[in-house]
Amino acid sequence: MLKVPDHQVAGHQGGHGQPGPLIDDSGRFYKPLQDDDRGAIEAAFYTSFSSNTRVPDHIRRFFPVFHGTQLLDASDGSSQRPHLVLEDVVSGRSHPSVMDVKIGSRTWYPEASEDYIQRCFEKDRKSSSLRLGFRISGLQLYGSEESGLWKPERKLVHNLSTDEVRVVLKKFVSSNSPTDPNLNPDCSLASSVYGGSSGILAQLLELKSWFEDQTIYHLNSCSVLMVYGKKKVLKGGSSDAEVKLIDFAHVTEGNGIIDHNFLGGLCSLIKFISEILTSPDECTTKVYLQNSDNKNEEILTSSNECTTKVCL
């Protein structure tokens, strides 16, 4: 039985005449191929990557397992269309916390049209991409048994400032409610999720080491997906934190050149996470995100120094 995933936080979602991804109960994720060159590029990347002997085995775990393509009824019921069949990264996790981080200060690919480049440049300029080398594309956080999962509207997290990005990364590893404006993020889960020999930071550093040498691919507009089971950690268990690279519709050949755009953004993300592990109380920011009903929702706070308030 195929169904629409409830854990998707970024990327193309179904609706308004556009088919979205599907999942099943066996741990597979079905991503509809886009009609233009992007669908063909992504399918070609997965096919090439799966058989490329130059990719070390320890790096393959950071990419979703590829099970080929399959013709399926589109999620919107429009028609049958080819889908990539991939590993469902969050399968088996109860109430997963998920964050999608688009990597790179430049999110277009060199062969793109001038119109496409300009549109991407505007998004990069308005978001943190140009400033930081990455931007948060979407997230969902587990709150509690009562509140369940909290998923802010994606448009509300795309244009965060540097301090706001830092606070979101803190919220991601805090034990208290992500929506209570009276609670500062305590970062109490940082050592379990970001730290340790198998935590998110160690995984990102392993990827960094590879990207310092690899010249096979340039991963334009690719995302780092960070996933862990917050509910399990709160009960004293392992976080099972995992990093995956996703979205390969704009990949180009490396042609012997290091992917400095991706590597620079990855290093920037590593720096932010490292600072949270070493100095979790460095800055305070309060952010009020205005929803479509024009009500301000205060969602982000941090500790007690250099306080900032921002209304979006």
Side-chain angles (χ1 to χ4, degrees), residues 147-173:
S147 63
L149 293 170
W150 170 68
K151 185 188 297 186
E153 293 182 27
R154 287 188 286 172
K155 65 181 180 180
L156 301 180
V157 299
H158 283 182
N159 301 332
L160 300 178
S161 70
T162 299
D163 281 343
E164 293 159 14
V165 166
R166 184 176 289 111
V167 175
V168 172
L169 290 169
K170 289 181 177 182
K171 278 284 187 182
F172 192 62
V173 290

Side-chain angles (χ1 to χ4, degrees), residues 35 115 118 128 177 212 219 304:
D35 292 326
D115 177 66
Q118 286 302 316
S128 66
S177 170
E212 287 174 336
L219 303 187
N304 299 317

Side-chain angles (χ1 to χ4, degrees), residues 16 36 50 54 99 101 111-113 129 154 206 220 296 311:
H16 306 290
D36 54 22
S50 298
R54 292 182 292 169
M99 185 182 298
V101 183
E111 293 81 4
S113 67
S129 291
R154 287 188 286 172
E206 190 173 351
N220 307 295
N296 285 336
C311 284

Side-chain angles (χ1 to χ4, degrees), residues 66-262:
F66 177 53
H67 300 286
T69 59
Q70 187 173 341
L71 195 64
L72 296 170
D73 291 330
S75 64
D76 61 356
S78 56
S79 62
Q80 283 200 329
R81 61 188 299 143
H83 288 64
L84 293 168
V85 185
L86 306 168
E87 167 194 9
D88 181 5
V89 177
V90 305
S91 177
R93 286 184 168 87
S94 175
H95 307 294
S97 288
V98 182
M99 185 182 298
D100 183 304
V101 183
K102 189 170 289 294
I103 302 294
S105 59
R106 168 185 54 75
T107 58
W108 66 86
Y109 55 104
E111 293 81 4
S113 67
E114 185 62 30
D115 177 66
Y116 184 83
I117 290 174
Q118 286 302 316
R119 283 188 282 121
C120 287
F121 177 76
E122 282 302 307
K123 289 182 181 179
D124 297 343
R125 183 181 63 82
K126 291 178 180 178
S127 71
S128 66
S129 291
L130 277 180
R131 296 191 309 275
L132 305 181
F134 69 88
R135 69 172 178 256
I136 295 172
S137 294
L139 74 152
Q140 73 173 27
L141 301 177
Y142 173 74
S144 65
E145 289 283 359
E146 295 74 25
S147 63
L149 293 170
W150 170 68
K151 185 188 297 186
E153 293 182 27
R154 287 188 286 172
K155 65 181 180 180
L156 301 180
V157 299
H158 283 182
N159 301 332
L160 300 178
S161 70
T162 299
D163 281 343
E164 293 159 14
V165 166
R166 184 176 289 111
V167 175
V168 172
L169 290 169
K170 289 181 177 182
K171 278 284 187 182
F172 192 62
V173 290
S174 292
S175 65
N176 44 15
S177 170
T179 58
D180 190 334
N182 299 311
L183 295 177
N184 294 326
D186 55 28
C187 297
S188 64
L189 310 181
S191 59
S192 299
V193 179
Y194 288 152
S197 60
S198 60
I200 283 175
L201 179 59
Q203 295 178 56
L204 294 176
L205 288 171
E206 190 173 351
L207 275 172
K208 172 180 173 287
S209 179
W210 184 58
F211 275 94
E212 287 174 336
D213 293 319
Q214 83 88 16
T215 59
I216 311 169
Y217 306 108
H218 284 188
L219 303 187
N220 307 295
S221 198
C222 173
S223 287
V224 164
L225 192 72
M226 301 187 293
V227 183
Y228 80 98
K230 181 177 176 181
K231 183 178 180 181
K232 186 177 178 182
V233 180
L234 291 173
K235 292 183 177 181
S238 169
S239 70
D240 295 326
E242 191 170 14
V243 168
K244 293 285 186 181
L245 301 186
I246 60 171
D247 297 335
F248 305 107
H250 304 294
V251 171
T252 54
E253 293 292 330
N255 296 321
I257 301 172
I258 289 174
D259 187 356
H260 292 287
N261 181 57
F262 188 91

